[in-house]
Amino acid sequence: FGQTGDPKRVGRTITIDMDDGFHYSPANLTVKRGETIRIVARNKGKLLHEIVIGTPMELKEHADLMKKFPTMEHEAAYMAHVPPGKTEVIVWQFTKAGNFKFACLVAGHSEAGMVGDIVVN
């Protein structure tokens, strides 16, 4: 659905706030196919949160793996782990049109509603 974006080619920056009410704001994004965006993930809560971008199936598989191995550490260009009160950045180029998701895959967070939608036209 995409690839690591070139920071020199960012078309726009979108700040997504996360909180301990298990919400993203905004929770819906519209992106043009081929567009490179900078997502500034800002954790306004007291708990660790994250943003992981992917298809619904990929996010479900990743969430299931996190349940089995909750202390598993991992890094990828399409995710950001954000400690309380901190900010992290994802630069991503959306190369395919379609409907995608972003979610917090910390155990229980996406189930509590910490999920967002990305429409790529």
Side-chain angles (χ1 to χ4, degrees):
F1 65 92
Q3 62 191 17
T4 302
D6 180 349
K8 295 175 187 166
R9 296 184 182 242
V10 168
R12 63 187 164 128
T13 298
I14 300 169
T15 298
I16 299 177
D17 290 327
M18 302 175 274
D19 62 46
D20 294 345
F22 306 107
H23 297 99
Y24 290 116
S25 180
N28 298 295
L29 306 176
T30 301
V31 179
K32 292 181 181 152
R33 183 173 165 249
E35 183 177 14
T36 299
I37 64 169
R38 176 183 294 111
I39 297 173
V40 177
R42 185 168 52 189
N43 186 346
K44 294 181 146 189
K46 293 181 169 44
L47 301 172
L48 173 72
H49 294 295
E50 65 182 8
I51 290 180
V52 181
I53 302 169
T55 65
M57 183 183 298
E58 289 167 338
L59 293 178
K60 182 184 178 327
E61 289 171 359
H62 190 139
D64 290 345
L65 193 60
M66 291 293 294
K67 286 176 189 169
K68 290 180 184 177
F69 306 101
T71 59
M72 177 179 72
E73 292 191 25
H74 51 285
E75 296 281 329
Y78 55 85
M79 65 176 63
H81 309 283
V82 190
K86 301 291 184 184
T87 301
E88 297 291 335
V89 175
I90 297 171
V91 177
W92 192 255
Q93 182 183 32
F94 290 88
T95 58
K96 293 185 181 177
N99 297 313
F100 303 96
K101 297 270 188 199
F102 58 97
C104 181
L105 301 182
V106 173
H109 291 204
S110 63
E111 294 85 350
M114 206 162 186
V115 178
D117 293 298
I118 303 172
V119 175
V120 180
N121 298 321

